[in-house]
Amino acid sequence: RSRRTDMKRNTDIRVQDAMQAAGELLLAGKADEACHAFDTLHHDYPTARADLWQRGLALFYVGKFDEAATQFELDITARRAAGNLEDADEVIWHAVCLAKCNGCASTQVLQQQQQQQQ
């Protein structure tokens, strides 16, 4: 085995452990902490970004719908490139995030219109 192979294996294990820990924070209802943990993974391990679908959930639960939509889109693109067309969860979450983003923008427009009418 080469040293490079050992380094990659150790990095993979660290990423998997960190992903599991962040996922456990999310399951424990600590979305803010999970979001921070996933953001750290997203920043420190760019090659793992497409596997951070739980980051999308954490972002959704803290109200960062646009960032969540981007995360789910990244995951969907990677899965499709790998030939996995069966997994619909991320597609649904992506659509919900986009609807929330549009809903927020629509709500703001309606509020502005109401204020102008008064």
Side-chain angles (χ1 to χ4, degrees):
R1 266 186 340 211
S2 72
R3 182 177 171 170
R4 178 177 230 167
T5 302
D6 288 341
M7 287 175 59
K8 181 174 179 356
R9 182 174 297 128
N10 290 338
T11 298
D12 291 345
I13 291 169
R14 282 195 305 268
V15 170
Q16 289 172 0
D17 289 348
M19 287 173 69
Q20 182 175 345
E24 288 172 6
L25 287 169
L26 186 59
L27 287 173
K30 299 176 180 179
D32 285 328
E33 292 177 45
C35 204
H36 177 71
F38 282 121
D39 284 348
T40 299
L41 278 163
H42 186 265
H43 179 266
D44 292 349
Y45 300 100
T47 58
R49 288 180 180 166
D51 296 322
L52 297 176
W53 60 271
Q54 288 177 305
R55 178 177 180 261
L57 295 176
L59 290 165
F60 178 87
Y61 287 121
V62 297
K64 296 180 179 180
F65 306 120
D66 54 341
E67 291 179 57
T70 301
Q71 179 62 51
F72 287 122
E73 186 174 347
L74 180 63
D75 185 71
I76 292 164
T77 302
R79 288 177 187 271
R80 286 184 178 159
N84 181 357
L85 306 176
E86 311 254 334
D87 198 353
D89 294 355
E90 288 84 358
V91 174
I92 294 167
W93 277 105
H94 181 252
V96 170
C97 290
L98 291 176
K100 288 288 224 176
C101 287
N102 291 334
C104 293
S106 300
T107 301
Q108 290 172 355
V109 169
L110 286 174
Q111 289 173 343
Q112 289 172 351
Q113 288 175 348
Q114 289 173 348
Q115 288 173 350
Q116 289 174 352
Q117 290 174 356
Q118 293 176 352

